[in-house]
Amino acid sequence: MTDKRLTIWEQARLHGYSRRDFIQFCGWIAAAAGIEATGVPQVIAALDTKPRLPVVWFHFQECTCCSESFIRSSHPIVSDIVLDKLSLDYTETLQAAAGKQAEEALHQTMTKYKGEYLMLVEGSVPTEEDGVYCCIGGRTALDIVKEAAANAKAIVCWGSCASNGCIQAAKPNPTGATPIHKLISGKPIINVPGCPPIAEVMAGTIVHLLAFDRIPQLDGLGRPKAFYSRRIHDTCYRRPNYDAGLFVETFDDENARRGYCLYKVGCRGPVTYNSCGVMRWNNGVSYPIQSGHGCIGCTEANFWDNGPFYQHLASFPGFGIESTADTVGVTVGAITAVGIAAHAITTNIKKRRQLRQEIKNSDSPAEEKKGGE
Amino acid sequence: MERNSIRRVYVWQLPVRFYHWLNALTVTTSVITGYLIGKPLAIQLGREASFGYWFGTVRFIHFLAAFVFFFNFLFRIYWGFAGNRYADWKNFIPTRRKQWKEVGQILKVDVLQAEGKPIESVGHNSLAGLTYFLTFLAFLFQSVTGFGMYSAMSNAWLPRLFAWIVPLMGGDFAVRQWHHMMMWFFIIFSMVHVYLVFYHDYVEGRGILSSMAGGWKFIEKEVQPKAE
């Protein structure tokens, strides 16, 4: 690690790239971040003059599927971003260093680039039992996050674990898994949910930070609007089937073969925000719905608790796994109907008695004088 | 019993009646279309999507009914301050001891059918008023969650006003789940409501059924309209 930080262009030239390669890369990067053609010169200027961004990438309670997804990013090629254009100083999964050297690299970055480094977090942080459920180098994840976040320029939360807790935070959440935004305040936090997030979405978010040196526009849940402002449903190629009321009833029926909408077999597309329908996965090959399976809503908080995945409505707590709000509604409705029937019967008994009484009263001459019925 | 000395009182003003029936219409429409949206019919058309739009139409009717319902609801709140004493907002929130006492009395006489003094409210009785207050809360909840979901597909300012509910409830799925559950409140309320109107007319004979058409109720001479 040299003391003088090279700019991205200088770094690229050092690696033997031509100016032409560099400009081409800037074009990719701009497209990935969703910037229009007129914005490309701005990107070039930024990468020409800005020093490489020091980055630390943490792994806590997670399965590394975010990293796996990220290294499969196609445009721009991930090695270009991470290994050449960023200065990835610490990451448990990819780094060559181990033990003391790795910890030293981390601390060097955190002290040397105080307030300048970008903190990427993959995984949630356990808070139960003082956080013992996830320890690295003898320290709890909670401890590490707090220390690293204190001097970070910004925090990017990779995946649903870091953004909303994902499966570890599903009921009953024994380790007290907590997303980063609930632990850290006063720092810009970008949530990039998904299990995993789409590689191009991850790359696009990083590229935006890299090129513009400021966080992208975020929605109410801290997600980049460029990728999370629309529902899967709104960009789904099966949407016309939904509007036409053509639904798959079971996964092996004629409707499934015809590619009708998967709404009735539990597709979470209408309640899930992501770019799957537009960017798709694995170099744009497909996405779950295109492959005949409903969306499971992996970018949304509590998606594990909103099961079963193959049911439109979630099961109703306390009434068994198959029962939904409708089961409960029908039951309560039936009880109400029985109650009404019982009430109607007693009302009639009461009314008959009253009528008999009134007729008897009107028959008696004393009552007749008073006017009666 | 001085049954022949009966006089009629103008209880429900035209705006109240108009509100009531428009509300009944939009709630019925919303429940039917809402149920269909949650559980679409299995119509095996076996055709291409470009030839049909029935589900889109069902959703459109739901949204249309919801907008009318919402503004009708707002109007009723206004009328709770501008209308006559029977329409007044104070009927719906039992703040006085007397109202709570009446609630207990109604539970005893009308619901449990124990012997007791018959209730002689002219407008809403206290228990009915309280129940309607709960329905107003349900109206509010349904409006907020409904517009919250709608805000994802609209840039209009009105639904955008309710976009905050989605992150607050933990995402669109939860909002949809709650919106759907609340539908059952409307169904069960309607069952009980319709039954009770028939019940009151059946045992009291004060014309409560027709009062929502013409506005008049019949009361015994000696019953003084309550000063609300």
Side-chain angles (χ1 to χ4, degrees):
Chain A
M1 205 184 286
T2 53
D3 268 13
K4 186 192 172 295
R5 283 195 291 154
L6 300 173
T7 69
I8 290 165
W9 159 236
E10 284 165 343
Q11 189 73 28
R13 198 165 50 176
L14 219 62
H15 281 77
Y17 287 101
S18 67
R19 183 71 183 171
R20 190 189 181 88
D21 291 331
F22 174 72
I23 300 291
Q24 205 168 35
F25 172 74
C26 291
W28 282 345
I29 231 173
I35 299 155
E36 61 171 338
T38 51
V40 175
Q42 213 182 329
V43 175
I44 297 171
L47 300 195
D48 250 345
T49 53
K50 282 200 188 109
R52 293 204 305 167
L53 195 59
V55 172
V56 290
W57 183 324
F58 293 102
H59 297 258
F60 299 124
Q61 285 183 300
E62 48 96 356
C63 70
T64 318
C65 76
C66 303
S67 296
E68 289 287 343
S69 176
F70 192 53
I71 59 173
R72 278 160 185 74
S73 167
S74 49
H75 303 288
I77 296 158
V78 70
S79 59
D80 274 339
I81 307 180
V82 184
L83 308 176
D84 291 348
K85 307 300 178 276
L86 300 177
S87 168
L88 187 59
D89 296 338
Y90 179 86
T91 175
E92 285 96 343
T93 318
L94 296 174
Q95 68 196 353
K100 195 170 181 303
Q101 285 120 323
E103 294 303 309
E104 234 173 55
L106 174 63
H107 280 100
Q108 218 170 27
T109 304
M110 292 201 300
T111 46
K112 205 162 144 193
Y113 302 118
K114 216 167 171 178
E116 286 174 54
Y117 61 90
L118 185 63
M119 177 177 169
L120 311 180
V121 185
E122 200 177 331
S124 56
V125 172
T127 52
E128 288 286 314
E129 315 284 345
D130 300 322
V132 293
Y133 295 108
C134 182
C135 290
I136 299 159
R139 293 172 63 204
T140 63
L142 192 60
D143 212 17
I144 298 169
V145 159
K146 285 198 168 144
E147 190 197 357
N151 293 312
K153 185 187 184 116
I155 303 169
V156 179
C157 298
W158 286 148
S160 291
C161 299
S163 304
N164 55 45
C166 205
I167 195 164
Q168 308 80 264
K171 279 171 199 138
N173 192 1
T175 64
T178 311
I180 305 305
H181 66 89
K182 287 192 180 158
L183 298 168
I184 305 296
S185 54
K187 287 278 163 190
I189 296 177
I190 306 166
N191 288 327
V192 187
C195 192
I198 302 171
E200 284 75 18
V201 168
M202 299 173 79
T205 306
I206 287 288
V207 158
H208 192 284
L209 289 163
L210 198 65
F212 295 103
D213 207 14
R214 63 168 180 246
I215 58 167
Q217 242 195 327
L218 305 178
D219 70 3
L221 293 167
R223 307 178 289 198
K225 272 189 177 170
F227 308 111
Y228 293 93
S229 62
R230 286 194 290 172
R231 301 174 301 168
I232 308 284
H233 195 53
D234 297 326
T235 51
C236 182
Y237 79 102
R238 295 196 186 201
R239 176 64 190 260
N241 294 290
Y242 171 84
D243 289 325
L246 300 171
F247 299 105
V248 171
E249 301 292 331
T250 56
F251 281 105
D252 57 355
D253 68 3
E254 176 66 12
N255 295 356
R257 199 187 64 77
R258 285 169 177 268
Y260 286 171
C261 174
L262 296 159
Y263 181 74
K264 284 179 86 174
V265 285
C267 182
R268 302 288 192 254
V271 290
T272 306
Y273 295 78
N274 204 352
S275 300
C276 301
V278 181
M279 295 192 159
R280 313 203 176 187
W281 291 78
N282 304 322
N283 299 348
V285 169
S286 183
Y287 71 114
I289 295 166
Q290 192 176 346
S291 305
H293 189 284
C295 166
I296 61 169
C298 75
T299 56
E300 299 299 308
N302 308 320
F303 77 98
W304 291 103
D305 292 328
N306 291 337
F309 288 147
Y310 302 106
Q311 230 169 254
H312 175 70
L313 288 171
S315 61
F316 201 87
F319 287 83
I321 196 93
E322 294 283 315
S323 59
T324 63
D326 284 345
T327 326
V328 179
V330 170
T331 312
V332 176
I335 293 168
T336 310
V338 170
I340 286 173
H343 194 268
I345 290 165
T346 55
T347 299
N348 268 296
I349 294 168
K350 219 175 143 185
K351 185 171 176 174
R352 277 175 77 97
R353 207 187 299 146
Q354 188 190 343
L355 285 177
R356 218 178 290 134
Q357 189 65 40
E358 281 184 21
I359 290 163
K360 211 165 88 188
N361 287 350
S362 62
D363 283 348
S364 69
E367 284 293 317
E368 230 161 16
K369 252 181 238 164
K370 267 175 87 182
E373 188 63 45
Chain B
M1 281 226 177
E2 301 289 329
R3 278 282 174 179
N4 57 349
S5 52
I6 266 177
R7 66 188 183 90
R8 69 179 191 180
V9 191
Y10 190 60
V11 179
W12 313 126
Q13 293 163 293
L14 184 61
V16 173
R17 285 174 277 146
F18 187 78
Y19 154 80
H20 174 269
W21 290 113
L22 192 58
N23 197 41
L25 179 71
T26 53
V27 167
T28 310
T29 311
S30 302
V31 166
I32 293 170
T33 52
Y35 188 81
L36 281 174
I37 292 167
K39 209 177 221 166
L41 296 172
I43 301 176
Q44 308 279 341
L45 289 172
R47 60 205 293 204
E48 293 308 320
S50 45
F51 294 102
Y53 197 71
W54 83 261
F55 198 61
T57 309
V58 168
R59 291 174 69 242
F60 174 75
I61 294 169
H62 188 80
F63 301 145
L64 186 70
F67 271 100
V68 176
F69 165 83
F70 179 70
F71 286 109
N72 194 34
F73 172 42
L74 290 189
F75 168 76
R76 184 62 186 86
I77 293 172
Y78 159 74
W79 201 253
F81 296 91
N84 69 9
R85 70 168 74 133
Y86 306 110
D88 198 89
W89 67 274
K90 289 191 214 80
N91 291 305
F92 301 100
I93 306 169
T95 46
R96 281 159 300 159
R97 244 186 116 76
K98 204 171 139 242
Q99 283 169 301
W100 282 110
K101 230 180 113 185
E102 199 183 88
V103 168
Q105 203 186 345
I106 293 154
L107 282 173
K108 208 174 104 190
V109 178
D110 284 333
V111 182
L112 300 175
Q113 307 206 312
E115 295 301 323
K117 208 162 87 53
I119 289 73
E120 287 162 342
S121 332
V122 181
H124 297 302
N125 69 45
S126 294
L127 182 61
L130 179 62
T131 311
Y132 297 143
F133 178 62
L134 294 182
T135 65
F136 288 155
L137 293 182
F139 290 0
L140 184 69
F141 184 86
Q142 215 62 340
S143 304
V144 171
T145 52
F147 280 125
M149 282 190 283
Y150 191 78
S151 69
M153 45 188 148
S154 171
N155 285 320
W157 63 270
L158 178 65
R160 300 294 318 167
L161 282 182
F162 299 95
W164 52 268
I165 191 71
V166 177
L168 189 73
M169 290 181 87
D172 285 52
F173 189 92
V175 178
R176 180 170 84 181
Q177 186 83 358
W178 282 100
H179 193 75
H180 190 100
M181 268 187 256
M182 194 52 89
M183 173 191 77
W184 284 101
F185 172 83
F186 282 77
I187 293 172
I188 288 157
F189 168 81
S190 305
M191 286 168 68
V192 175
H193 174 72
V194 172
Y195 169 72
L196 282 179
V197 176
F198 275 87
Y199 162 81
H200 281 291
D201 205 304
Y202 193 70
V203 299
E204 289 164 5
R206 285 181 179 158
I208 193 173
L209 257 175
S210 63
S211 71
M212 214 23 101
W216 283 291
K217 275 188 183 177
F218 300 94
I219 58 167
E220 287 84 39
K221 273 254 164 67
E222 65 268 31
V223 177
Q224 290 302 313
K226 273 195 297 182
E228 296 287 352

